[in-house]
Amino acid sequence: MTTRHTARVAEILSWYHGSNPGVLTNLARLLNHGRLAGTGHLVILPVDQGFEHGPGRSFAPNPPAYDPRYHFELAIDAGCNAYAAPLGFLEAGAADFAGEIPLILKLNNHDVLQDETDPLGARTASVADARRLGCVGIGYTIYPGTAERRLQYTELAAIAEEAKANGLVVVVWSYPRGGGLSKEGETALDVTAYAAQIAAQLGAHVIKVKLPSAYLEQAAAKKVYEAQNIPRNTLTDRVRHVVQSSFDGRRIVIFSGGALNENDQALLAEARAIRDGGGFGSIVGRNAFQRRKEHAIALLGDMMEIYGAPVRELAR
Amino acid sequence: MTTRHTARVAEILSWYHGSNPGVLTNLARLLNHGRLAGTGHLVILPVDQGFEHGPGRSFAPNPPAYDPRYHFELAIDAGCNAYAAPLGFLEAGAADFAGEIPLILKLNNHDVLQDETDPLGARTASVADARRLGCVGIGYTIYPGTAERRLQYTELAAIAEEAKANGLVVVVWSYPRGGGLSKEGETALDVTAYAAQIAAQLGAHVIKVKLPSAYLEQAAAKKVYEAQNIPRNTLTDRVRHVVQSSFDGRRIVIFSGGALNENDQALLAEARAIRDGGGFGSIVGRNAFQRRKEHAIALLGDMMEIYGAPVRELAR
Amino acid sequence: MTTRHTARVAEILSWYHGSNPGVLTNLARLLNHGRLAGTGHLVILPVDQGFEHGPGRSFAPNPPAYDPRYHFELAIDAGCNAYAAPLGFLEAGAADFAGEIPLILKLNNHDVLQDETDPLGARTASVADARRLGCVGIGYTIYPGTAERRLQYTELAAIAEEAKANGLVVVVWSYPRGGGLSKEGETALDVTAYAAQIAAQLGAHVIKVKLPSAYLEQAAAKKVYEAQNIPRNTLTDRVRHVVQSSFDGRRIVIFSGGALNENDQALLAEARAIRDGGGFGSIVGRNAFQRRKEHAIALLGDMMEIYGAPVRELAR
Amino acid sequence: MTTRHTARVAEILSWYHGSNPGVLTNLARLLNHGRLAGTGHLVILPVDQGFEHGPGRSFAPNPPAYDPRYHFELAIDAGCNAYAAPLGFLEAGAADFAGEIPLILKLNNHDVLQDETDPLGARTASVADARRLGCVGIGYTIYPGTAERRLQYTELAAIAEEAKANGLVVVVWSYPRGGGLSKEGETALDVTAYAAQIAAQLGAHVIKVKLPSAYLEQAAAKKVYEAQNIPRNTLTDRVRHVVQSSFDGRRIVIFSGGALNENDQALLAEARAIRDGGGFGSIVGRNAFQRRKEHAIALLGDMMEIYGAPVRELAR
Amino acid sequence: MTTRHTARVAEILSWYHGSNPGVLTNLARLLNHGRLAGTGHLVILPVDQGFEHGPGRSFAPNPPAYDPRYHFELAIDAGCNAYAAPLGFLEAGAADFAGEIPLILKLNNHDVLQDETDPLGARTASVADARRLGCVGIGYTIYPGTAERRLQYTELAAIAEEAKANGLVVVVWSYPRGGGLSKEGETALDVTAYAAQIAAQLGAHVIKVKLPSAYLEQAAAKKVYEAQNIPRNTLTDRVRHVVQSSFDGRRIVIFSGGALNENDQALLAEARAIRDGGGFGSIVGRNAFQRRKEHAIALLGDMMEIYGAPVRELAR
């Protein structure tokens, strides 16, 4: 990275003008790594499913993925911008792969060993852990719509303050859930846009949400969406609204890949919609590590090319 | 600001005689900024509705308002005394507009993704955040009447102590809510006056309440109000009682503008009642940023002139 | 105060022999201020009703009392030993009246905007606030008998430790309440004595309780009171038992004045019973500030003379 | 104490070999004070009943006991090893009797103003309070069997760590209570032994339990007690089992005296059983301070002689 | 230990490459102590049953075990890699046996004095306690599947961070329990593998789980286990799956010995299955200290030989 920033990276960094140079440096590292370096788009590999769903459900479909080194290698070989995981997975590889891929430490996690209407993650690592592991940022999941979201927002606020003071990028997974929402409402357009806005107002540098449906959940919002004719028929329209709801596009918003979908073309169509709606990229877990490695690299490579990566192998 | 304080500003500052020079300096900045500089009146732009109501409901009626820069510009161009917002919105503009408008960081927020009888905000930022963003003060919302108001008062007490030690002005939004009150009671005169008194006793420098109705909620209070013939027929009477209930007018009390009202004259009539009752001004959110920018500037300008601003454009 | 302590003040201070000189100095300031200086008796003005009952109910009967300066002046002009109030009221006058009257900062408060069986106050200020305002002591209310009294005792323990380390006097309002007691039991003799004992064991220097009735609430206590023939027919008897229950009279116990009573003679009769039972004085709020100022000064003056004040005007 | 430790004291201290010299010094002070100095037995005066039961119930049977000085004098004159009490009682005498009797500050307390299935004490003082009052140790009550015992164990763990770092002896009152136990089970042999073991595992230097009955509460324990034929018919047998359950006798276990029992001979018979079962002594509150002073001194003296004190008056 | 590490120890340490030298040193001490030194296998003696089940149930079957010294001696004489116990037991022997056996301080504990669906241990000691007692590591129990597992994960995260910064090994007991699981599910293969994965992701260096059954508890997991044909008929198969679920065998996983089983051959068969499935050893409590000492040493010796210990007496 001996050249100056591309115009697009410089533009994106300008939105974070109020941040300290440490944060800007790590944000630049994210944007300037991998096959999408310099494009302003990102494809990130997140692997927290061992904790969130259990090891058998997550890794048995592709057993090499039980090994923590596998994911570092997958992210590096595919040319991802970053690799995000809980403490244990990062501790098990951060030294061996030091400096080969930007790392994001997930600071909270949640298991599914008890059914819950209102999930509430546990803080499983700290900002200090992220520093000692050489990470560029930290990740934190909030569940807007749950009864105890207040605890999550407040914990995130404290973590974000500490992370920023230490020059780390703050990535927020914002997943609406809980007794206040219908099942369909969890991915409703208004609710997804609201979740993105909350993450942005909490000071996230990078926001991760799910792809929204055209459904509208909240009556008061629905009235406005209909009165203002907010387009929502196509996925591209909906991505555009979520991006607009994230400070008019002045915050990086990426979309999660969802459960395993064996149809590569469907996933690539989603990537095109994200790109066309002004989204900044994808964060692809199960659709990466639950495929065989060569297949995953090919799929991620196709996605990256949709997002503007040059059609070649990544030089490391 | 090379001249001495006006007599009115000097008088107001004298009420805060026990505060440290840092607080007095920031209070003076608030009072000496914008078109109302030196008059002792204030018109403040607050924009926390993206968090409190959602982005679509808040900004779709006037889409430029999705952009965090819009509100800085609106507050500056209209000649407001200050701009108040949550962390994300301030971080997204505090550097670009540094020194152009006094900023107030809202330290707690609440969303409406779950219906609640007794709302309880989350702390979403800190006094240290306010310092690094160059703010003149911090804002905090309490909900007197809710079951967990105790947590809010105690959190505010700790925040206010830290803010004052750092020379920051403490602005308290005091909004009665909760299972202890009827819906009508939330804006009852006795309850509004009580809410203002609680904020004042908690050490607020500036108090924000809603405009009260003539209704009386609490039986024990009603008895006294009727025995003492406290006037409450006109809005001016009621503003006067709330101001009296705020340390006999020795604390700055401002009134919120409420939901979007397309009738400018009604809003201006409220401003006159605030002024005539001894109120210190208005804090106008939706009625500012949900109008088109030129319209908002005109409306805010008319309000400011009611509050004593000279009939001219603000020189910056 | 250039003379040596009176014999009575020296005796009282001897009970607090284990305290540091800072505490002894502030205790001496309390005992040596006002018309009762040197007598070992105290009359204190407390004004927290704006928070506890609301401003209209508290101050409309005597509107000058809306102004925080009024209470400083009333306490000074009446020759009280001290003035006690929440943060806001003290901040609004501590500078203007610095050094003219010993101040006690109430560190917790409770409003009545929601009915509660088991009240639980909020901490509304800190020991550091008391120090920066030049106070001689801090006040804290506990509600023995409530479900969450444990939180209150523990909070008080921490506050008292910090206050003492800073040389501040600890004044405890001990008001039995809560689901564990009958309404009559809240002022029962056994319960009041128990409340005084708890405050004393928690390390209070000065204890404030209500005047007890002859009723006995707890069966186990009643058995002992009857077996031991503890006198309780007259108010004097009952005050004597409460004083005995406060370390055999080796802790300062004062009694609260209660709700507005327009019968001055009844209040003076209570003062005589307090004096004759060995009580240390009165803490009179509503019966002071809800009377017109001249009337209040006269009533407080009559009380002070009962407690041993010389029959003259206070020289300041 | 210019002589070397007796062989028994040296043996007892050897069990605490891992403790720092500060703790060993204060433990030696406990063992080497009063009429039982050097014997390895202890008789301690604890007076927390003013808080735990109320002042009338506790002190009216012997009114001089209202005075905090009374208990210092009683403990000193009777030749006790130590005096244990809450903050208020110790603050009221620690200076006047400085160095005349080892003091133990009770750090938590509980009142009976509300009926509770699962009592939970309040922390009413700190390790720092113990230091400033010149105490040799701190006391803390746990209620094994209550719903919130976890809070108590965790609080004790933190307190014990701080106390030990400050060279203070940790004395744990371990009283089974709560919804998990039958009334009879609170003093069952298996439960009492379990309570002693928990205190020992939590790092107590001195353990205080009640005298156990022959009843067995827990089915799983009963099976083992019966299979192993653990003797439990006599009080001596039961004391022996509790002592064995306290690290095979390598922790000091003392037994509480219980409610007022006017039959001196019954109390002395208990002391003999404690001695014969290998117990380390008694901690006698109500049976000391609710008797007239001369009677109490005579009774405690007889107990001490059972525990091995020389038959003479204590030389101080 | 003047020789270089064996190849196996060096290999194991390489998995913890990201840890600081302090942690690696203590991990090496664990692996290089006792009869299994250098083999990469471990047999550890844990004794927390006095707290977890009560002293009578735990120690009456073999009364010398009441004495805390007994367990140090048993662990040393049997040639175990380490001895793990709560604070009290370690404090009672750490000085006398200093340097003779690696120690692991259990930082949380739970008693059975109240029936609970969702157990929640109390923190009973600290990392600082482990340091002052010369321990090589700390132990902590989590109960995945309980309602408050979030508190446990978060507490463990904080403890592990502090322990690692101090160079201590983190050993996690991961025992599924709670309302979210059936009784059979607590040892189900999928749940045991999930529990091991959670411990690993929380950053454990050493993981302790129970031996799993062939049962599958969670529907979503069962579907995958069956689709992928994960072998689970033999204990060896199941151990292999748990080891794979612990970062593909790159974390040390040991298996607990369970309740007293008088059939030595059954226990040795389990050890063979653990060894053959790639497990790292056994942690044997009741099956060690509830046997007579010579018998326990013989049984543990046989186990160690299965795990690769040379057939001779340990030279110390």
Side-chain angles (χ1 to χ4, degrees):
Chain A
M1 295 299 145
T2 58
T3 58
R4 301 295 311 268
H5 290 315
T6 63
R8 179 60 176 161
V9 168
E11 181 190 12
I12 293 174
L13 292 179
S14 78
W15 306 335
Y16 300 91
H17 182 176
S19 301
N20 64 30
V23 167
L24 295 175
T25 300
N26 277 319
L27 206 46
R29 286 183 179 127
L30 262 188
L31 291 164
N32 286 330
H33 190 90
R35 289 188 61 195
L36 286 165
T39 64
H41 282 105
L42 303 102
V43 170
I44 294 176
L45 176 70
V47 189
D48 58 4
Q49 288 80 1
F51 200 120
E52 306 278 327
H53 301 152
R57 274 176 68 189
S58 301
F59 306 131
N62 181 32
Y66 281 109
D67 187 331
R69 293 173 300 181
Y70 179 82
H71 306 285
F72 284 89
E73 290 165 353
L74 174 57
I76 293 166
D77 293 351
C80 289
N81 296 67
Y83 168 50
L87 182 67
F89 255 19
L90 290 199
E91 277 187 332
D96 290 337
F97 299 94
E100 296 194 69
I101 178 95
L103 299 177
I104 296 166
L105 178 60
K106 269 298 297 294
L107 296 195
N108 65 343
N109 286 100
H110 177 254
D111 67 42
V112 291
L113 283 164
Q114 194 166 90
D115 274 341
E116 294 160 320
T117 307
D118 290 86
L120 177 59
R123 202 169 66 66
T124 54
S126 72
V127 171
D129 286 320
R131 291 200 316 260
R132 73 174 165 90
L133 294 172
C135 300
V136 300
I138 58 92
Y140 189 92
T141 301
I142 56 175
Y143 298 113
T146 52
E148 297 292 7
R149 61 200 186 284
R150 178 184 176 265
L151 297 182
Q152 303 164 37
Y153 299 168
T154 295
E155 187 170 71
L156 171 55
I159 284 172
E161 182 182 340
E162 186 186 355
K164 290 171 185 176
N166 284 283
L168 295 173
V169 172
V170 175
V171 185
V172 175
W173 276 238
S174 191
Y175 286 175
R177 296 282 300 276
L181 300 173
S182 70
K183 191 69 200 166
E184 200 178 0
E186 293 179 359
T187 53
L189 179 58
D190 57 329
V191 169
T192 301
Y194 202 161
Q197 167 79 202
I198 287 172
Q201 293 287 14
L202 286 165
H205 300 117
V206 179
I207 299 161
K208 176 189 177 189
V209 290
K210 293 187 180 169
L211 284 167
S213 72
Y215 177 69
L216 296 173
E217 168 84 355
Q218 297 201 292
K222 189 173 186 186
K223 214 165 101 183
V224 175
Y225 277 68
E226 290 176 350
Q228 303 292 341
N229 285 315
I230 298 178
R232 65 178 202 274
N233 287 339
T234 68
L235 187 55
T236 300
D237 287 338
R238 299 194 292 269
V239 166
R240 185 172 292 120
H241 177 64
V242 172
V243 170
Q244 186 183 40
S245 294
S246 303
F247 293 2
D248 213 19
R250 297 173 69 84
R251 284 294 173 265
I252 297 169
V253 190
I254 55 181
F255 294 85
S256 61
L260 181 62
N261 181 342
E262 302 199 345
N263 181 344
D264 287 15
Q265 291 311 313
L267 296 168
L268 296 175
E270 287 179 358
R272 279 183 212 102
I274 294 168
R275 178 197 62 195
D276 295 346
F280 293 76
S282 296
I283 177 156
V284 186
R286 283 169 287 175
N287 278 302
F289 70 76
Q290 290 186 347
R291 277 172 166 75
R292 285 172 49 85
K293 193 172 177 189
E294 304 68 35
H295 188 166
I297 290 178
L299 174 64
L300 292 172
D302 290 345
M303 270 190 197
M304 290 174 191
E305 290 172 17
I306 288 170
Y307 286 126
V311 184
R312 57 167 173 83
E313 285 302 294
L314 176 76
R316 285 190 287 138
Chain B
M1 293 302 144
T2 58
T3 57
R4 303 295 310 269
H5 290 314
T6 63
R8 180 59 177 163
V9 167
E11 181 190 12
I12 293 175
L13 293 179
S14 78
W15 305 335
Y16 300 91
H17 182 176
S19 302
N20 64 32
V23 167
L24 295 175
T25 300
N26 277 319
L27 206 47
R29 286 184 179 125
L30 263 187
L31 291 165
N32 286 331
H33 190 90
R35 289 188 61 196
L36 285 165
T39 64
H41 283 105
L42 302 102
V43 170
I44 294 177
L45 176 71
V47 190
D48 58 5
Q49 289 79 2
F51 200 119
E52 305 279 328
H53 302 152
R57 274 176 68 189
S58 301
F59 306 132
N62 180 35
Y66 281 109
D67 188 330
R69 293 173 300 181
Y70 179 82
H71 305 285
F72 284 88
E73 290 165 353
L74 174 57
I76 293 166
D77 293 350
C80 290
N81 297 67
Y83 167 51
L87 182 68
F89 255 19
L90 290 199
E91 277 187 332
D96 290 337
F97 300 93
E100 297 194 71
I101 178 93
L103 299 176
I104 296 165
L105 178 60
K106 269 298 297 295
L107 295 195
N108 65 342
N109 286 99
H110 177 254
D111 68 41
V112 292
L113 282 164
Q114 194 166 90
D115 274 341
E116 293 160 320
T117 306
D118 290 87
L120 177 60
R123 201 169 66 67
T124 54
S126 72
V127 171
D129 286 319
R131 291 200 316 259
R132 74 175 164 89
L133 295 172
C135 300
V136 301
I138 59 93
Y140 189 92
T141 301
I142 56 175
Y143 299 113
T146 52
E148 296 292 7
R149 62 201 186 284
R150 176 183 176 267
L151 297 183
Q152 304 165 37
Y153 299 169
T154 295
E155 187 170 70
L156 171 55
I159 285 172
E161 181 182 341
E162 186 186 354
K164 290 171 185 177
N166 283 284
L168 295 173
V169 172
V170 175
V171 185
V172 175
W173 276 238
S174 191
Y175 286 175
R177 297 280 302 275
L181 301 173
S182 70
K183 191 69 200 166
E184 200 178 2
E186 292 179 0
T187 53
L189 179 59
D190 58 328
V191 169
T192 302
Y194 201 161
Q197 166 80 202
I198 287 172
Q201 293 286 14
L202 286 166
H205 300 117
V206 180
I207 299 161
K208 177 189 176 189
V209 291
K210 294 187 181 170
L211 284 166
S213 73
Y215 177 70
L216 295 172
E217 169 84 354
Q218 296 200 293
K222 190 173 185 185
K223 213 165 102 184
V224 174
Y225 277 69
E226 290 176 349
Q228 304 292 341
N229 284 314
I230 298 178
R232 65 178 203 273
N233 287 339
T234 68
L235 187 55
T236 299
D237 287 338
R238 299 193 293 269
V239 166
R240 185 171 292 120
H241 177 65
V242 172
V243 170
Q244 188 184 38
S245 294
S246 303
F247 293 3
D248 213 18
R250 297 172 69 84
R251 285 292 173 267
I252 297 170
V253 190
I254 56 181
F255 295 84
S256 59
L260 181 62
N261 181 343
E262 302 200 344
N263 181 344
D264 286 15
Q265 291 312 313
L267 295 168
L268 296 175
E270 287 180 357
R272 278 182 213 103
I274 293 168
R275 177 198 63 196
D276 294 346
F280 293 76
S282 296
I283 177 156
V284 185
R286 283 169 287 175
N287 277 302
F289 70 75
Q290 290 186 347
R291 277 172 167 76
R292 286 171 49 84
K293 193 172 178 189
E294 303 69 34
H295 188 165
I297 290 177
L299 173 63
L300 292 171
D302 290 345
M303 271 189 195
M304 290 173 190
E305 289 171 17
I306 287 169
Y307 286 126
V311 184
R312 56 167 173 81
E313 284 302 295
L314 175 78
R316 284 190 287 137
Chain C
M1 295 301 143
T2 58
T3 58
R4 302 294 311 268
H5 289 315
T6 63
R8 179 61 176 162
V9 167
E11 181 190 12
I12 293 175
L13 293 179
S14 78
W15 306 335
Y16 299 92
H17 183 177
S19 302
N20 64 29
V23 166
L24 295 174
T25 300
N26 277 319
L27 206 48
R29 286 184 179 125
L30 263 187
L31 292 164
N32 285 331
H33 190 90
R35 288 188 63 196
L36 286 165
T39 64
H41 282 106
L42 302 102
V43 170
I44 294 176
L45 176 70
V47 189
D48 59 3
Q49 289 80 359
F51 200 119
E52 305 279 328
H53 301 151
R57 273 176 68 189
S58 301
F59 306 131
N62 180 34
Y66 280 109
D67 188 330
R69 293 173 299 181
Y70 179 81
H71 305 286
F72 284 89
E73 290 165 352
L74 174 58
I76 293 166
D77 293 350
C80 289
N81 296 67
Y83 167 51
L87 182 68
F89 255 20
L90 289 199
E91 277 188 333
D96 291 336
F97 299 93
E100 297 194 69
I101 178 94
L103 299 177
I104 296 165
L105 178 60
K106 269 298 297 295
L107 295 195
N108 66 342
N109 286 99
H110 177 254
D111 67 41
V112 291
L113 283 165
Q114 194 166 90
D115 275 340
E116 293 159 320
T117 306
D118 290 86
L120 178 60
R123 202 170 64 68
T124 54
S126 71
V127 171
D129 286 320
R131 291 201 315 259
R132 73 175 165 90
L133 295 172
C135 300
V136 301
I138 60 93
Y140 189 92
T141 300
I142 56 174
Y143 298 114
T146 52
E148 297 292 6
R149 62 200 186 283
R150 178 183 175 267
L151 297 182
Q152 304 165 36
Y153 299 168
T154 295
E155 188 171 70
L156 171 55
I159 284 172
E161 182 183 341
E162 186 186 354
K164 290 171 185 176
N166 283 283
L168 295 173
V169 172
V170 175
V171 185
V172 175
W173 276 238
S174 191
Y175 287 175
R177 297 281 300 276
L181 300 172
S182 70
K183 190 70 200 164
E184 200 178 0
E186 292 179 0
T187 53
L189 179 58
D190 58 328
V191 170
T192 302
Y194 202 161
Q197 166 80 202
I198 287 172
Q201 293 287 15
L202 287 165
H205 300 117
V206 180
I207 299 161
K208 177 190 176 188
V209 291
K210 293 187 181 170
L211 284 167
S213 73
Y215 177 70
L216 295 172
E217 169 83 355
Q218 296 201 292
K222 190 174 184 184
K223 213 165 101 184
V224 175
Y225 277 68
E226 289 176 350
Q228 302 293 341
N229 284 315
I230 298 178
R232 64 178 203 272
N233 288 339
T234 68
L235 187 55
T236 300
D237 287 338
R238 299 193 294 269
V239 165
R240 184 170 293 121
H241 178 65
V242 172
V243 170
Q244 187 184 38
S245 294
S246 303
F247 293 3
D248 212 19
R250 297 173 69 84
R251 284 293 173 266
I252 297 170
V253 190
I254 55 180
F255 294 85
S256 60
L260 180 61
N261 181 344
E262 302 200 344
N263 181 343
D264 286 16
Q265 291 311 314
L267 296 169
L268 295 175
E270 287 179 359
R272 278 184 212 101
I274 294 168
R275 177 197 62 195
D276 294 346
F280 293 74
S282 296
I283 177 156
V284 185
R286 284 169 287 175
N287 278 302
F289 69 76
Q290 290 186 347
R291 278 172 166 77
R292 285 173 49 85
K293 194 173 177 188
E294 302 70 34
H295 188 165
I297 290 178
L299 174 64
L300 292 172
D302 290 345
M303 269 190 197
M304 289 174 191
E305 289 171 18
I306 287 170
Y307 285 126
V311 184
R312 57 166 173 80
E313 284 302 294
L314 176 78
R316 284 189 290 136
Chain D
M1 295 303 142
T2 57
T3 57
R4 302 295 311 268
H5 290 314
T6 63
R8 179 61 177 162
V9 167
E11 181 189 11
I12 293 175
L13 293 179
S14 78
W15 305 335
Y16 300 92
H17 183 175
S19 300
N20 64 30
V23 166
L24 295 175
T25 300
N26 276 319
L27 206 47
R29 286 184 178 125
L30 262 187
L31 292 164
N32 285 331
H33 189 90
R35 288 189 61 196
L36 286 165
T39 64
H41 283 105
L42 302 102
V43 170
I44 294 176
L45 176 70
V47 189
D48 58 4
Q49 288 81 0
F51 200 118
E52 306 279 328
H53 301 152
R57 273 176 69 189
S58 301
F59 306 131
N62 180 34
Y66 281 109
D67 187 331
R69 293 174 299 183
Y70 179 81
H71 305 284
F72 284 89
E73 290 165 353
L74 174 57
I76 293 166
D77 292 350
C80 289
N81 297 67
Y83 167 50
L87 182 68
F89 255 21
L90 289 198
E91 277 188 333
D96 290 338
F97 300 93
E100 297 193 69
I101 178 94
L103 298 176
I104 296 165
L105 178 60
K106 268 298 296 295
L107 296 195
N108 66 342
N109 286 99
H110 178 254
D111 67 42
V112 292
L113 282 164
Q114 195 166 90
D115 274 341
E116 292 159 320
T117 306
D118 290 87
L120 177 59
R123 203 170 64 68
T124 54
S126 72
V127 171
D129 286 320
R131 290 199 316 258
R132 73 175 164 89
L133 295 172
C135 300
V136 300
I138 59 93
Y140 188 92
T141 301
I142 55 175
Y143 298 114
T146 53
E148 297 291 7
R149 62 200 186 285
R150 178 183 176 265
L151 297 182
Q152 304 164 37
Y153 299 168
T154 296
E155 188 171 71
L156 171 54
I159 284 172
E161 182 183 341
E162 186 186 354
K164 290 171 185 177
N166 283 282
L168 295 172
V169 173
V170 175
V171 185
V172 175
W173 276 238
S174 190
Y175 287 175
R177 297 281 300 274
L181 300 173
S182 70
K183 190 69 200 166
E184 200 178 1
E186 292 180 1
T187 52
L189 179 59
D190 58 327
V191 170
T192 301
Y194 202 162
Q197 167 79 202
I198 287 172
Q201 293 286 15
L202 286 166
H205 300 117
V206 180
I207 299 162
K208 176 188 176 189
V209 290
K210 293 186 181 171
L211 284 167
S213 72
Y215 177 70
L216 295 173
E217 168 84 354
Q218 296 201 292
K222 189 174 185 185
K223 214 166 99 185
V224 175
Y225 277 68
E226 290 176 351
Q228 304 292 339
N229 284 314
I230 298 179
R232 63 178 203 274
N233 287 339
T234 68
L235 187 55
T236 299
D237 287 338
R238 300 193 292 269
V239 165
R240 184 171 293 121
H241 177 65
V242 172
V243 170
Q244 187 183 39
S245 294
S246 303
F247 292 3
D248 212 19
R250 297 173 69 84
R251 284 293 174 267
I252 297 170
V253 190
I254 55 181
F255 294 84
S256 59
L260 181 62
N261 181 343
E262 301 200 345
N263 181 342
D264 286 15
Q265 291 311 313
L267 296 168
L268 296 175
E270 287 179 358
R272 278 183 212 102
I274 294 168
R275 178 198 62 195
D276 294 346
F280 293 76
S282 296
I283 177 156
V284 186
R286 283 169 287 176
N287 278 302
F289 70 76
Q290 290 185 347
R291 277 172 166 76
R292 285 173 49 86
K293 194 173 176 188
E294 302 70 33
H295 188 166
I297 290 177
L299 174 63
L300 293 171
D302 290 345
M303 270 190 197
M304 291 173 190
E305 290 172 18
I306 288 170
Y307 285 126
V311 184
R312 55 167 173 82
E313 284 304 293
L314 176 77
R316 283 191 290 137
Chain E
M1 295 300 144
T2 57
T3 57
R4 302 295 310 268
H5 290 314
T6 63
R8 180 59 177 163
V9 167
E11 181 189 12
I12 293 175
L13 293 179
S14 78
W15 306 335
Y16 300 91
H17 182 177
S19 302
N20 64 32
V23 167
L24 294 174
T25 300
N26 276 319
L27 206 46
R29 286 185 178 123
L30 262 187
L31 292 164
N32 285 331
H33 189 90
R35 289 188 62 196
L36 286 164
T39 64
H41 283 106
L42 303 101
V43 170
I44 294 177
L45 176 71
V47 190
D48 59 4
Q49 288 80 0
F51 200 118
E52 306 278 327
H53 301 152
R57 273 177 68 189
S58 301
F59 306 132
N62 181 32
Y66 281 109
D67 187 330
R69 294 173 299 182
Y70 179 81
H71 305 285
F72 284 88
E73 290 165 353
L74 174 57
I76 293 166
D77 293 349
C80 290
N81 297 67
Y83 167 50
L87 182 68
F89 255 20
L90 290 199
E91 277 188 333
D96 290 337
F97 300 92
E100 297 193 69
I101 178 94
L103 299 176
I104 296 166
L105 178 60
K106 269 298 297 295
L107 296 195
N108 66 342
N109 286 99
H110 177 253
D111 67 42
V112 292
L113 283 164
Q114 194 166 89
D115 274 340
E116 293 160 321
T117 307
D118 290 86
L120 177 60
R123 202 171 64 67
T124 54
S126 72
V127 171
D129 287 319
R131 290 200 316 258
R132 73 175 164 89
L133 295 172
C135 300
V136 301
I138 60 93
Y140 188 93
T141 301
I142 56 174
Y143 298 113
T146 53
E148 297 292 7
R149 62 200 186 283
R150 177 183 177 267
L151 297 183
Q152 304 164 37
Y153 298 168
T154 295
E155 188 170 70
L156 171 55
I159 284 172
E161 181 183 341
E162 186 186 354
K164 290 171 185 176
N166 283 283
L168 296 173
V169 172
V170 175
V171 185
V172 176
W173 277 239
S174 192
Y175 287 174
R177 297 281 300 275
L181 300 173
S182 70
K183 190 70 200 167
E184 200 178 0
E186 292 179 0
T187 53
L189 178 59
D190 58 328
V191 169
T192 301
Y194 202 161
Q197 166 78 203
I198 286 172
Q201 293 287 13
L202 287 166
H205 300 117
V206 180
I207 299 162
K208 176 188 176 188
V209 290
K210 294 187 181 170
L211 284 167
S213 73
Y215 177 69
L216 295 172
E217 168 84 355
Q218 297 201 291
K222 190 174 185 184
K223 214 165 101 184
V224 175
Y225 277 68
E226 290 175 350
Q228 302 293 339
N229 284 315
I230 298 178
R232 65 178 202 274
N233 288 339
T234 67
L235 187 55
T236 299
D237 287 338
R238 299 194 292 270
V239 165
R240 184 171 293 122
H241 177 64
V242 172
V243 170
Q244 187 183 41
S245 294
S246 304
F247 293 3
D248 212 19
R250 297 173 70 82
R251 285 293 173 265
I252 297 169
V253 190
I254 55 181
F255 294 85
S256 59
L260 181 62
N261 182 343
E262 302 200 344
N263 181 344
D264 287 15
Q265 291 312 313
L267 295 168
L268 296 175
E270 287 179 358
R272 278 182 212 103
I274 293 168
R275 178 197 64 194
D276 294 346
F280 293 75
S282 296
I283 177 156
V284 185
R286 284 169 285 175
N287 278 302
F289 69 77
Q290 291 185 347
R291 276 172 166 77
R292 286 172 49 85
K293 193 172 177 190
E294 303 69 33
H295 188 166
I297 290 177
L299 173 64
L300 293 170
D302 290 345
M303 271 190 195
M304 290 173 190
E305 289 172 18
I306 287 170
Y307 285 127
V311 184
R312 55 168 173 82
E313 286 302 294
L314 176 77
R316 283 191 287 137

